[in-house]
């Protein structure tokens, strides 16, 4: 498996070890700065999934736990803190096992094995999908569950996240392609069953 972010690429080998390379800027997985060759991420056991964004990364561990590292300006690491970057993987405060994850520019979402979708980080453009402005910073450093959403797939880019619901419809939230903002998942026209 392989994933690419803005300045970094990571790959998982057959044994589950996560290797990353690129411009790591001192905040990626205990790695120092920039690596032209794949280098193993420290502090991880075998991983089953991964995701990269502009300046943070996450990995799903074999037991379904989720860890993230990198910049944390708006709580996108989901560990309860904001503003402190983490060079080593830190556990996301999410108790349910994770099946899939999606990382945006300054937010992160995860789909649990039950199909529930949780998001955290910036909510400035509705990226968390929870339907309301959050006080005081319009961000959350802990995962928030999106109400009434059961999904089978998940993806994110920049300030937008989309999911495939169990009924086959595609829904998106955040800064949608038209340029408008939606604070709740809205169905993409033509995808509803």
């Amino acid at each position: 498996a392989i994933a690419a972010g803005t300045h970094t690429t990571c790959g998982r080998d057959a044994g589950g070890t996560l290797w990353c390379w690129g411009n790591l800027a001192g905040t990626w997985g205990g790695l120092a700065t920039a690596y032209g060759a794949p280098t193993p991420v420290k502090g991880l056991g075998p991983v089953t999934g991964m995701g990269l964004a502009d300046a943070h990364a996450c990995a799903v561990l074999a037991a379904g736990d989720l860890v993230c590292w990198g910049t944390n300006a708006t709580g996108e690491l989901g560990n309860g803190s904001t503003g402190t970057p983490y060079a080593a993987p830190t556990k996301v405060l999410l108790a349910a096992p994770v099946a899939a994850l999606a990382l945006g520019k300054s937010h992160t979402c995860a789909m649990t094995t039950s199909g529930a979708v949780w998001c955290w980080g910036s909510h400035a453009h509705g990226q968390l999908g929870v339907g309301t402005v959050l006080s005081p910073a319009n961000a959350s450093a802990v995962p928030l569950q999106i109400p009434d959403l059961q999904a089978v797939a998940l993806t994110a880019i920049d300030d937008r996240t989309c999911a495939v619901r169990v009924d086959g419809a595609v829904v998106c939230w955040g800064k949608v392609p038209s340029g408008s903002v939606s604070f709740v998942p809205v169905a993409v026209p033509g995808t509803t069953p």
Side-chain angles (χ1 to χ4, degrees), residues 10-184:
C10 292
R12 185 192 71 208
D13 67 20
T17 299
L18 188 62
W19 301 72
C20 295
W21 60 97
N23 184 4
L24 308 176
T27 58
W28 289 83
L31 304 176
T33 177
Y35 288 84
T39 304
V41 176
K42 299 175 185 174
L44 289 179
V47 302
T48 60
M50 64 195 146
L52 296 174
D54 285 357
H56 75 291
C58 297
V60 181
L61 305 182
D65 291 335
L66 183 61
V67 295
C68 296
W69 61 96
T71 59
N72 195 31
T74 58
E76 58 266 39
L77 302 187
N79 65 1
S81 72
T82 300
T84 303
Y86 282 75
T90 179
K91 191 173 187 311
V92 175
L93 300 175
L94 183 60
V98 172
L101 59 126
L103 281 63
K105 180 168 55 177
S106 56
H107 75 288
T108 307
C109 294
M111 183 183 75
T112 65
T113 53
S114 70
V117 177
W118 298 73
C119 297
W120 56 95
S122 175
H123 192 50
H125 300 289
Q127 299 99 304
L128 306 188
V130 293
T132 185
V133 173
L134 303 174
S135 295
N138 210 15
S140 178
V142 297
L144 301 175
Q145 185 175 2
I146 298 178
D148 304 318
L149 177 60
Q150 290 290 305
V152 296
L154 191 64
T155 190
I157 188 170
D158 294 332
D159 297 321
R160 176 173 64 252
T161 306
C162 296
V164 178
R165 289 190 321 215
V166 293
D167 65 0
V170 176
V171 295
C172 296
W173 59 95
K175 201 172 206 177
V176 294
S178 66
S180 61
V181 169
S182 177
F183 281 73
V184 295

